[in-house]
């Protein structure tokens, strides 16, 4: 039986354990992709478009057929993959993860959109890095990709060193790190405090501007050599892609999105801290911005309406004049969002009462409005659900009078847009992954499909670490990590020695994997059993998390000291102001 996307999302999903050693993102994608219903959905989509899997996936088939030792055609590769998924998931990941990495990076090299997205994420990672270097509140992004590349870290350090000069040397600058941290930590701010925080953030953005500009130049542009005989130096982005081709390099959202695009699947990421799955890559079809066939042309305001009603994805400047990517909706939902909201006359009368200068934003929605009306206002992003101080739930407007009026009315050319949607819409299968705490990727499957297995040490560890963080009882684990490294090296020597022994009838031994251990210069590869690999993964994760959490606690202690110092200074100022010698007559 085929599982639709809605059925899958309504099913309780649980993580399916994956191998690590820096390849967990690709291992998770392998397990998520290699399911009968996913392959069937891919084949249906290609057949409906008049395409043939053997042609579309030619490079994957050739590589997979070689490692799987099967025929060079889609059916043979697919069947062998599904057999391995049932009989040996570990071997399946080992054989296909490297191929997935190759395909992802090769397609990233020719996809300008991948480059543009790395620009955005690199800037966010640098902002976070620079803030930490300045000992000021960051929190915009958790970078687990760029920070793994020493050449990027060196560039971050070089550019971050230039920011204090820009931030504190200007005569107009009155940036205060303690004040900034204090304002950023508060849950609510008054008008004066909000204005002050905006001023400090503006000064910070201006100070970071030259460093960010230099970073983008380095990321995009290759450097001409001073010698005509020497080859040019690659750009930061080219160096990054070359590094990402290497086994064991941590990958993330952008590389997985390339795989989803290649295999024609949607890709969702579901995490404990997400309210709903994040759409990493979607492909439900696209409608043209202008169509002779359906007799419409959508100007910018109409496109904005389709975006605000969550019918199409927010397009880039290039896409806005060409095609609009559809979001996951059915026909009835699209028709409802293109139509006027229920009880529109009542809604118009209420909104118009705030027409003459009085702001509509944060105005409570009347309790008497129907559930169907509320539902459509929510789906068009006209109102939001709020919890008041009394604990009661309600709804408030979040847009201006003008925007609200546009979003509640029936869209012009509604029937023509709906006809174009009917023709363009397609249901691609969805792969759902998880990346809890941004440390390890796993596939998500319905709980009923998981075989009975002991509780994963990985998840036990995460829960225990968070518990210990809350109690402030972080303990060193360096001794256990070093002991595991010695055991892994000893196991590697023993396994290699066993391979040199004459072939005799021996009992089946546990399957082995290649693992990359930290060394003085980069990494060294050893052969260990799967059990040892899992132990290493667990302890490495613990080591990384505890180092991170230790930094977090040290940062909290520094904030506490800063706050104490600020409090004492304020008390001293207050005493000085109250002193008779300083009081004005």
């Amino acid at each position: 039986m085929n599982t639709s996307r809605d059925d899958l999302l309504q099913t309780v999903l649980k993580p399916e354990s994956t191998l690590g050693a820096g390849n967990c993102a690709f291992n998770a994608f392998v397990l998520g992709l290699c399911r009968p219903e996913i392959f069937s959905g891919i084949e249906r989509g290609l057949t409906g478009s008049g395409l043939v899997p053997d042609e579309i996936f030619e490079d994957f088939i050739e590589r997979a057929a070689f490692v799987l030792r099967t025929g060079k055609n889609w059916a043979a590769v697919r069947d062998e993959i599904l057999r391995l998924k049932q009989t040996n998931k570990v071997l399946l990941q080992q054989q296909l993860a490297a191929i997935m990495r190759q395909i992802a990076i090769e397609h990233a090299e020719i996809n300008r959109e991948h480059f543009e997205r790395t620009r955005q994420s690199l800037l966010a990672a640098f902002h976070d890095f620079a803030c930490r270097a300045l000992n000021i509140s960051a929190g915009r992004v958790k970078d687990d990709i760029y920070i793994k590349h020493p050449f990027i870290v060196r560039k971050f350090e070089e550019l971050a060193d230039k920011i204090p000069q820009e931030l504190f040397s200007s005569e107009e600058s009155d940036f205060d790190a303690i004040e900034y941290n204090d304002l950023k930590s508060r849950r609510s701010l008054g008008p004066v405090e909000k204005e002050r925080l905006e001023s400090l953030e503006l000064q910070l953005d201006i100070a970071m501007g030259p460093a960010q500009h230099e970073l983008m130049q380095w990321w995009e542009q290759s450097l001409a050599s001073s010698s005509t005989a020497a080859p040019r130096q690659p750009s930061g982005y080219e160096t990054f892609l070359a590094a990402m081709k290497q086994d064991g390099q941590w990958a993330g959202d952008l590389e997985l999105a390339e795989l989803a695009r290649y295999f024609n699947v949607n890709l969702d990421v579901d995490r404990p801290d997400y309210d709903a799955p994040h759409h990493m890559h979607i492909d439900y079809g696209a409608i043209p911005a202008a169509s002779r066939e359906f007799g419409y042309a959508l100007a910018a305001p109409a496109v904005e309406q389709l975006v605000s009603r969550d019918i199409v994805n927010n397009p880039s400047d290039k896409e806005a004049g060409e095609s609009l990517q559809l979001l996951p909706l059915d026909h009835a939902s699209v028709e409802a969002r293109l139509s006027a909201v229920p009880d529109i006359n009542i809604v118009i009368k209420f909104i118009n009462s705030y027409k003459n200068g009085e702001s509509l934003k944060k105005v409570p929605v009347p309790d008497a409005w129907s559930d169907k009306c509320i539902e459509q206002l929510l789906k068009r992003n006209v109102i939001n659900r709020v919890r008041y101080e009394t604990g009661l739930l309600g709804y408030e407007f979040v847009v201006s009078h003008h925007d609200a009026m546009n979003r509640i009315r029936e869209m012009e050319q509604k029937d023509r847009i709906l006809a174009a949607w009917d023709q363009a819409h397609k249901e691609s299968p969805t792969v759902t992954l998880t990346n809890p705490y941004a440390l390890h990727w796993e596939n998500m499957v319905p709980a009923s499909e998981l075989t009975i297995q002991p509780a994963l040490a990985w998840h036990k560890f995460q829960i225990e670490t968070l518990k210990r963080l809350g109690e402030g009882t972080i303990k060193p684990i360096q001794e256990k990590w070093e002991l595991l490294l010695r055991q892994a090296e000893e196991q590697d020597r023993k396994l290699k020695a066993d391979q040199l022994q004459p072939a005799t009838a021996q009992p089946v031994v546990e399957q082995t994997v290649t693992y990359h251990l930290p060394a003085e210069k980069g990494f060294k590869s050893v052969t260990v059993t799967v059990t040892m690999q899992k132990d290493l993964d667990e302890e490495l994760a613990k080591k990384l998390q505890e180092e991170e959490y230790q930094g977090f606690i040290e940062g909290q202690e520094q904030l506490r000291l800063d706050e104490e110092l600020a409090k004492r200074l304020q008390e001293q100022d207050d005493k000085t102001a109250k002193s008779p010698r300083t009081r004005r007559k």
Side-chain angles (χ1 to χ4, degrees), residues 33-74:
L33 177 75
C34 300
R35 296 162 52 88
E37 65 271 22
I38 298 294
F39 282 154
S40 296
I42 291 172
E43 292 167 359
R44 283 196 307 273
L46 292 177
T47 301
S49 302
L51 302 173
V52 180
D54 289 275
E55 297 176 0
I56 298 299
F57 304 133
E58 181 179 2
D59 52 346
F60 169 73
I61 291 170
E62 183 174 350
R63 294 167 178 174
F66 177 77
V67 299
L68 296 173
R69 298 181 181 180
T70 189
K72 289 187 179 181
N73 61 79
W74 170 253

Side-chain angles (χ1 to χ4, degrees), residues 206-218:
I206 292 173
M208 284 194 181
Q212 290 173 330
H213 178 71
E214 187 175 340
L215 178 66
M216 288 298 96
Q217 284 188 315
W218 168 78

Side-chain angles (χ1 to χ4, degrees), residues 368-386:
W369 287 8
S370 69
D371 291 343
K372 290 184 177 180
C373 176
I374 295 292
E375 179 185 5
Q376 278 303 312
L377 292 174
L378 284 169
K379 293 184 182 303
R380 299 167 196 230
N381 297 293
V382 175
I383 63 175
N384 264 352
R385 192 174 187 180
V386 295

